[in-house]
């Protein structure tokens, strides 16, 4: 391995990593089933297909023992009254943990284990959140500028999006009276 390839630069202004190995762009049409208000999804998609977030990842190997990392740029906005958020996932290998560092913007993290225990944390600049093994995790932008954060995870963790797409998180974050509120997800299935 070339030592130069081990150094990546973070641009804190736009959240991009240089260089990166994978870039993912998630538009609203990619995550229709993740927002609770499906009418609001369709109303927006009739006019436009906004980018909700972008991920810049450095994934050098998927072999056990390695680490991967990625920045996410999660744009501000809402679908109905639900704030823009990531899809959220369990790791395919459930016992793999992760560390998140907030670089800029204001958010929340929703953590949930398979028994339905949920933790909602704030996620503001310089906050570091430990995602324990077995917990699904989602990030929500409750501010009015991009939420930029770094995540570091075992390279063999893998992403299971299907379980969340099907069952959802027990709690969701909406805007109520101009402020973020945590409410029960009307679509949550056990
Ligand atoms: C993060 C997430 C990233 C995008 O790097 O993958 O924030 O969220 P989704 O993967 O839920 O779309 C991470 O948790 N990696 O394991
Ligand atoms: Zn993860």
């Amino acid at each position: 391995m070339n030592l130069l390839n081990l150094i990546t630069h973070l641009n804190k202004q736009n959240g991009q990593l240089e260089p990166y190995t994978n870039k993912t762009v998630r538009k609203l049409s990619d995550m229709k089933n993740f927002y609770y208000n499906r009418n609001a999804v369709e109303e927006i998609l009739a006019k436009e297909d906004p980018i909700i977030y972008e991920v810049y990842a450095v994934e050098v190997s998927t072999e056990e023992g390695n680490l991967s990392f990625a920045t996410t740029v999660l744009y501000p906005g809402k679908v109905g009254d639900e704030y823009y958020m990531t899809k959220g996932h369990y790791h395919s290998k459930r016992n793999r943990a992760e560390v998140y560092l907030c670089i800029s913007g204001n958010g929340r993290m929703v953590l949930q284990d398979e028994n339905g225990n949920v933790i909602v944390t704030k996620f503001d600049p310089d906050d570091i959140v430990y995602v324990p093994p077995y917990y699904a995790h989602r990030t929500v932008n409750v501010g009015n500028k991009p939420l930029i954060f770094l995540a570091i995870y075992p390279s063999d963790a893998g992403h299971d999006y299907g379980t969340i797409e099907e069952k959802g998180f027990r709690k969701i974050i909406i805007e109520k009276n101009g402020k973020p509120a945590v409410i029960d997800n009307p679509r949550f299935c056990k």
Side-chain angles (χ1 to χ4, degrees):
M1 201 180 277
N2 181 336
L3 194 61
L4 281 175
N5 292 343
L6 301 179
I7 302 172
T8 298
H9 181 75
L10 162 67
N11 179 330
K12 286 189 183 168
Q13 304 312 311
N14 63 17
Q16 294 184 13
L17 294 178
E18 182 59 47
Y20 57 85
T21 61
N22 302 80
K23 178 179 177 181
T24 307
V25 177
R26 298 277 195 222
K27 294 182 160 194
L28 181 58
S29 59
D30 301 318
M31 44 187 315
K32 285 183 185 180
N33 298 337
F34 289 81
Y35 289 94
Y36 86 96
N37 185 338
R38 303 290 155 83
N39 291 335
V41 170
E42 292 308 327
E43 272 172 32
I44 296 169
L45 287 177
K47 289 178 269 169
E48 53 168 351
D49 188 6
I51 293 177
I52 311 291
Y53 59 103
E54 292 158 342
V55 181
Y56 298 87
V58 175
E59 294 176 339
V60 174
S61 163
T62 52
E63 200 183 315
E64 182 176 355
N66 286 278
L67 293 173
S68 298
F69 56 94
T71 51
T72 302
V73 180
L74 175 56
Y75 292 101
K78 281 176 294 171
V79 175
D81 57 4
E82 191 172 16
Y83 293 103
Y84 279 12
M85 60 190 185
T86 58
K87 284 186 171 184
H89 58 270
Y90 287 96
H91 289 150
S92 307
K93 290 193 176 166
R94 291 287 194 272
N95 65 355
R96 297 303 196 256
E98 183 159 3
V99 172
Y100 273 61
L101 163 66
C102 182
I103 295 159
S104 60
N106 299 96
R108 299 284 186 275
M109 284 193 71
V110 186
L111 310 178
Q112 171 174 300
D113 71 11
E114 286 185 302
N115 297 320
N117 297 312
V118 188
I119 304 161
V120 178
T121 69
K122 72 183 186 75
F123 194 47
D124 297 317
D126 303 334
D127 283 342
I128 297 167
V129 174
Y130 177 61
V131 179
Y134 302 101
Y135 273 80
H137 38 290
R138 165 180 286 165
T139 315
V140 183
N141 187 346
V142 300
N144 49 22
K145 50 187 187 175
L147 177 66
I148 298 175
F149 57 92
L150 174 74
I152 305 171
Y153 48 98
S155 297
D156 62 345
H159 297 90
D160 168 10
Y161 294 107
T163 306
I164 294 299
E165 183 164 22
E166 208 180 300
K167 302 186 174 177
F169 281 84
R170 186 188 284 274
K171 299 282 181 186
I172 58 173
I173 319 290
I174 62 160
E175 186 184 82
K176 203 172 171 183
N177 304 323
K179 285 188 306 202
V182 181
I183 63 162
D184 288 335
N185 179 359
R187 291 184 177 272
F188 176 70
C189 336
K190 275 193 177 167

